[in-house]
Amino acid sequence: MKRDLLTILDLSTEEIDALLRRADRLKKQWRQGTLRPTLAGKTLALLFDKPSTRTRVSFQVAMYQLGGQVVVLTAQETQLSRDESLADTARVLSRYLDGLVVRTFADARIEELARYAKIPVINGLTDLYHPCQVLSDLMTVREKKGDLTGLHVAWVGDGNNVAHSWINAAARLPIRLVLACPPGYEPRQEILERAQALAPYEIRLCRDPAEAVAGAHVINTDVWASMGQEQEREVRLKEFCGYQVDGSLLRRARPDAIVLHCLPAHRGEEISDEVMDGPNSAIFDQAENRLHFQRALLDWLLGGDGVRG
Ligand code: CP
Ligand code: NVA
């Protein structure tokens, strides 16, 4: 039976752990030059309605490194732009492909594709979630901090798609998550409450970034206006005043705290140059791990035999 990854809640705690261990193992093989072509003969398509640098390139390269092929599409250049239904598109693409990564706006679109596709559908970012980002961020946190158990993760800024995926991660994993968001920019109530009901540790929302990061092991932030919200940018710049991750905020966290940002960043807005380029920043290692994580995800979902070894 095919598996999709639309949100982190599609995975059990054990599956997340196994996936992260597979990612570590394949990263080691990559370093040693011993990766095997476990996806030879398989083809992945990327169907993207929003721009992308990291997600697109890391999925492409991961697929190539495992011996597979990639087709890159935008909805605009397919018959979706001329009203072919998502259901029929999914039915047809399933006859050609072994997997589909979708980056789009409304989550209902990817849910519909997944419902009719006979192949795994992977969320490469939607308005509500960015699961592959946060799963690879967990890989980075484990590399830097060892065991995840009891880590205090802070989120500062918009309660957006990446924040929602951190909330879902905290529903499955033994981390404490404290989010500081300005009024009106909190995560969706239903996403928060569902995760709080499942979470082994605390998931808490507050207003004050200083409170969220006090004693934190990990500080996370993201842009104040996500893709699709460009027209709100000027208003948001004002509303998010005081939510920048800068040196003085960082000093409230543990001295060895790591700072994460999924990128692209707006330096001088949600994060200062000093923090982004400073010793606590794990941001470029984090970006690299997108590649290492995608490899493991594809190997698992598209049926490579990387499970061995
Ligand atoms: N972090 C991330 O998903 O980056 P891209 O938008 O460049 O894919
Ligand atoms: N929240 C951002 C993440 C970009 C990777 C957006 O959706 O634009």
Side-chain angles (χ1 to χ4, degrees):
M1 166 108 155
K2 68 122 175 181
R3 291 288 302 271
D4 301 313
L5 176 58
L6 303 191
T7 87
I8 289 180
L9 293 184
D10 291 341
L11 304 176
S12 67
T13 303
E14 293 70 31
E15 285 172 333
I16 295 172
D17 188 55
L19 203 43
L20 295 176
R21 281 190 283 109
R22 184 185 294 226
D24 292 342
R25 200 163 57 237
L26 291 178
K27 182 170 179 179
K28 198 165 157 203
Q29 289 177 12
W30 169 80
R31 277 214 190 92
Q32 294 168 339
T34 57
L35 276 176
R36 288 173 300 118
T38 53
L39 297 181
K42 308 247 171 169
T43 306
L44 178 76
L46 308 180
L47 179 60
F48 278 28
D49 291 339
K50 292 178 177 175
S52 171
T53 299
R54 281 146 287 269
T55 307
R56 175 180 159 147
V57 176
S58 59
F59 269 114
Q60 274 186 279
V61 173
M63 197 65 191
Y64 295 147
Q65 289 178 340
L66 295 177
Q69 308 288 321
V70 180
V71 178
V72 182
L73 301 165
T74 63
Q76 215 35 48
E77 66 201 5
T78 67
Q79 297 289 6
L80 284 167
S81 67
R82 297 179 58 256
D83 294 335
E84 184 165 14
S85 73
L86 289 163
D88 287 348
T89 303
R91 288 181 180 111
V92 172
L93 290 181
S94 298
R95 306 284 179 118
Y96 305 143
L97 298 166
D98 300 284
L100 181 63
V101 183
V102 179
R103 171 169 286 202
T104 192
F105 292 89
D107 286 69
R109 284 175 67 78
I110 193 170
E111 287 162 13
E112 177 128 0
L113 284 165
R115 190 171 316 124
Y116 292 98
K118 298 258 184 292
I119 54 173
V121 175
I122 298 170
N123 184 341
L125 183 147
T126 52
D127 286 347
L128 287 186
Y129 299 110
H130 198 0
C132 300
Q133 177 69 54
V134 171
L135 289 165
S136 73
D137 295 351
L138 289 165
M139 179 183 179
T140 306
V141 173
R142 278 170 31 133
E143 282 179 355
K144 306 284 179 191
K145 296 284 166 208
D147 189 15
L148 294 174
T149 305
L151 290 183
H152 169 176
V153 177
W155 177 272
V156 179
D158 193 17
N160 65 14
N161 43 9
V162 181
H164 288 152
S165 288
W166 269 104
I167 289 170
N168 281 347
R172 291 281 188 251
L173 298 168
I175 56 174
R176 250 187 89 210
L177 179 63
V178 187
L179 304 103
C181 310
Y185 298 97
E186 299 89 352
R188 296 272 184 105
Q189 187 75 16
E190 68 277 13
I191 293 174
L192 188 62
E193 284 178 3
R194 182 180 52 195
Q196 281 169 330
L198 295 167
Y201 282 64
E202 170 191 50
I203 306 177
R204 187 162 60 86
L205 190 58
C206 65
R207 286 278 172 246
D208 184 3
E211 183 185 336
V213 307
H217 299 87
V218 180
I219 301 178
N220 250 297
T221 190
D222 188 12
V223 290
W224 291 339
S226 286
M227 290 180 277
Q229 299 171 334
E230 290 77 8
Q231 73 294 347
E232 297 174 31
R233 191 173 140 72
E234 291 311 312
V235 175
R236 284 172 172 260
L237 278 178
K238 293 194 188 79
E239 306 263 30
F240 282 80
C241 183
Y243 282 79
Q244 184 183 86
V245 176
D246 59 13
S248 72
L249 191 67
L250 177 59
R251 281 188 283 281
R252 294 175 181 271
R254 292 167 57 97
D256 62 350
I258 58 165
V259 177
L260 300 179
H261 188 313
C262 63
L263 301 177
H266 285 117
R267 288 167 175 259
E269 292 179 17
E270 75 277 3
I271 190 164
S272 66
D273 281 328
E274 178 196 8
V275 171
M276 184 130 170
D277 300 324
N280 298 76
S281 171
I283 292 170
F284 294 99
D285 291 339
Q286 173 190 10
E288 179 184 325
N289 275 337
R290 297 297 306 280
L291 169 65
H292 303 303
F293 177 78
Q294 319 297 29
R295 222 191 270 121
L297 181 67
L298 293 171
D299 192 48
W300 180 51
L301 285 182
L302 273 57
D305 63 354
V307 113
R308 297 194 318 246

